[in-house]
């Protein structure tokens, strides 16, 4: 399989700023989108100071008193924002061995009683007490806003890499005041020897793009190549790991690859692994099955040359052919966070968990 891969390519974003070198970047991006689904992005536009400040906050965030963390439990939020205890999230029905906080760019929910329930998915974040971790909220929001700006710039480059006008993907986003993008701050504790090594199980991401900041020097992220082999994606300081989500794969009719990936827990005796993924959303009401993008024939031929990947270990976000984007995302969140669904989306909870809340690993 000529288009298979054994490593993830590194792209230099500085090439974009010079008209003489931008075509080289577009060519490298096209290869990564179609054949890999993952890339490292070096020399990006997000402030290194803001990134370093955020990394410095992360251990302090998880060291907050448990009572303070419990005050912002995700179960309080119909928007799936807030704190998740160790072992509270599931992938493919199995417990993920991680602790995390979900935050998002500022947004006032557009949902009103009687409106489709997927409009409740976006809304205000829950933040820890400012007195306990002064400056964290401002740093996190600044970081999210800078990555948001980068993600929109990157989307225009995606379009060019597909042989389309640079604004061809803009129709999948609402005006800024109606959009919300999500970030997580994640801690993967070291395996204590008695548990599975599933930091997070095999899965796809939902939207167009994910920008991952690996905030500690640990390995653990792996991606599945076209033949189904798991490939390590070791941390490279100063870069983002960028990957394609299922929505982009669907709307490009499989031209772009959403690549199955997972995180293994740090080994016994290690320190925790920290990471900060940013998930770029598209409009909650976008119906991707109704959208057709007209790609040049020479671009479509690259998909044929790649071939089809083998069946992967990931099966999530398969409803884009019949549901609006927001509903697909909501179903994914319900499956991952059944405790939140039980409280705020009882009908969906009953549909996907007819036997009640799944049993967590007893050590949690």
């Amino acid at each position: 399989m000529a288009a298979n891969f054994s490593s993830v390519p590194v792209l230099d974003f500085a090439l974009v700023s010079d008209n003489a070198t931008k075509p080289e970047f577009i060519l490298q991006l096209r290869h990564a989108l179609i054949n890999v689904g993952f890339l490292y992005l070096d020399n990006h536009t997000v402030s290194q100071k803001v990134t370093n400040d955020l990394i410095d906050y992360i251990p302090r965030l998880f060291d907050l008193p448990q009572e303070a963390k419990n005050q912002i439990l995700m179960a309080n939020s119909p928007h799936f924002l807030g704190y998740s205890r160790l072992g509270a999230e599931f992938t493919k029905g199995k417990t993920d061995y991680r602790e995390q906080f979900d935050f998002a760019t500022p947004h006032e929910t557009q949902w009103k009683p009687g409106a489709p329930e997927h409009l409740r998915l976006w809304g205000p974040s829950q933040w820890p007490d400012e007195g306990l971790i002064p400056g964290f909220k401002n740093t996190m929001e600044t970081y999210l806003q800078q990555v948001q700006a980068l993600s929109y710039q990157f989307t225009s480059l995606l379009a060019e890499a597909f042989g389309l006008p640079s604004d061809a993907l803009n129709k999948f986003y609402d005006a800024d005041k109606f959009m919300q993008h999500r970030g997580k701050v994640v801690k993967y504790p070291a395996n204590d020897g008695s548990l599975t090594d599933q930091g997070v199980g095999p899965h796809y991401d939902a939207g167009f793009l994910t920008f991952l900041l690996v905030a500690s020097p640990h390995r653990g992220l792996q991606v599945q190549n076209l033949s189904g082999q798991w490939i390590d994606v070791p941390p490279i300081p100063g870069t983002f790991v960028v990957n394609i989500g299922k929505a982009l794969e669907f709307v490009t009719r499989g031209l772009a690859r959403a690549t199955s990936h997972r995180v293994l827990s740090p080994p016994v005796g290690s320190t925790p692994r920290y990471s900060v993924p940013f998930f770029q959303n598209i409009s909650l009401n976008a119906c991707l099955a109704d959208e057709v993008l007209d790609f040049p024939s020479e671009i479509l031929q690259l998909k044929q040359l790649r071939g089809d990947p083998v069946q992967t270990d990931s099966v999530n976000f398969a409803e884009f052919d019949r549901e609006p984007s927001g509903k697909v995302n909501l179903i994914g969140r319900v499956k991952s966070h059944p405790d939140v669904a039980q409280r705020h989306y009882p009908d969906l909870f009953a549909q996907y968990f007819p036997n009640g809340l799944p049993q967590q690993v007893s050590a949690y």
Side-chain angles (χ1 to χ4, degrees):
M1 190 175 292
N4 208 356
F5 64 93
S6 58
S7 63
V8 171
V10 181
L11 274 64
D12 183 356
F13 199 62
L15 297 176
V16 174
S17 61
D18 187 333
N19 288 334
T21 55
K22 182 179 177 182
E24 179 183 351
F25 181 89
I26 295 298
L27 188 64
Q28 294 174 4
L29 179 59
R30 180 178 301 146
H31 166 75
L33 295 172
I34 295 173
N35 295 314
V36 184
F38 266 78
L39 59 96
Y40 294 98
L41 189 64
D42 199 8
N43 293 316
H44 53 73
T45 57
V46 175
S47 162
Q48 192 61 54
K49 181 183 184 307
V50 171
T51 299
N52 289 340
D53 287 348
L54 178 59
I55 290 173
D56 288 344
Y57 270 116
I58 291 174
R60 295 167 53 193
L61 179 66
F62 287 100
D63 286 342
L64 289 173
Q66 191 63 46
E67 180 181 359
K69 293 189 281 190
N70 290 345
Q71 288 177 353
I72 58 169
L73 281 173
M74 184 185 284
N76 300 331
S77 169
H79 320 302
F80 294 86
L81 296 171
Y83 170 68
S84 295
R85 287 187 286 249
L86 186 66
E89 188 176 20
F90 296 82
T91 300
K92 293 186 68 178
K94 295 182 179 180
T95 304
D96 293 327
Y97 191 45
R98 65 179 181 174
E99 181 183 8
Q100 63 192 14
F101 295 82
D102 281 62
F103 304 110
T105 55
H107 183 83
E108 293 299 325
T109 183
Q110 304 300 305
W111 180 82
K112 294 180 175 56
E117 62 183 350
H118 65 258
L119 296 181
R120 296 180 72 193
L121 193 56
W122 294 352
S125 295
Q126 298 186 90
W127 294 97
D129 186 332
E130 179 72 13
L132 294 176
I133 188 164
F136 168 73
K137 177 183 177 182
N138 180 67
T139 297
M140 186 70 192
E141 287 194 324
T142 300
Y143 174 81
L144 292 175
Q145 288 164 356
Q146 289 193 13
V147 183
Q148 171 185 283
L150 172 62
S151 77
Y152 283 140
Q153 183 181 3
F154 203 76
T155 300
S156 70
L157 297 170
L158 295 186
E160 292 184 55
F162 292 135
L164 303 173
S166 61
D167 62 353
L169 300 176
N170 292 0
K171 62 183 177 180
F172 297 105
Y173 305 94
D174 293 326
D176 285 350
K177 69 177 181 179
F178 297 123
M179 288 299 302
Q180 184 172 50
H181 307 287
R182 181 182 299 265
K184 290 178 183 283
V185 183
V186 187
K187 176 183 179 180
Y188 296 94
N191 195 323
D192 66 2
S194 66
L195 300 169
T196 173
D197 63 358
Q198 177 169 304
V200 60
H203 66 284
Y204 299 112
D205 293 342
F208 272 11
L209 294 167
T210 301
F211 290 76
L212 175 70
L213 169 66
V214 181
S216 62
H218 302 76
R219 291 174 176 257
L221 176 62
Q222 295 184 327
V223 302
Q224 257 183 314
N225 68 11
L226 291 167
S227 59
Q229 297 172 307
W230 285 105
I231 305 299
D232 284 327
V233 186
I236 299 179
T239 68
F240 283 123
V241 180
V242 183
N243 68 277
I244 302 308
K246 262 304 194 188
L248 188 62
E249 179 182 89
F250 185 89
V251 82
T252 62
R253 305 194 298 278
L255 180 61
R257 285 200 67 230
T259 298
S260 174
H261 54 287
R262 68 184 182 185
V263 176
L264 303 181
S265 297
V268 175
S270 176
T271 54
R273 179 184 188 271
Y274 297 113
S275 65
V276 186
F278 172 95
F279 304 99
Q280 187 209 52
N281 288 317
I282 58 174
S283 170
L284 290 172
N285 291 317
C287 294
L288 302 188
D290 298 337
E291 300 290 348
V292 176
L293 296 173
D294 188 17
F295 299 103
S297 59
E298 63 270 20
I299 299 295
L300 292 175
Q301 288 174 358
L302 297 176
K303 177 187 174 184
Q304 296 175 344
L305 291 173
R306 176 195 71 203
D308 295 323
V310 299
Q311 185 174 358
T312 71
D313 295 335
S314 301
V315 295
N316 55 325
F317 302 118
E319 302 89 1
F320 281 114
D321 61 340
R322 56 191 180 276
E323 299 286 2
S325 171
K327 182 66 176 290
V328 178
N329 276 269
L330 177 58
I331 291 170
R333 302 298 284 176
V334 164
K335 291 177 179 178
S336 295
H337 297 278
D339 57 333
V340 183
Q342 185 182 44
R343 180 179 297 189
H344 300 287
Y345 301 94
D347 292 341
L348 280 175
F349 174 79
Q351 179 181 344
Y352 290 100
F353 297 95
N355 297 319
L357 286 171
Q359 184 176 1
Q360 296 180 350
V361 176
S362 58
Y364 299 153

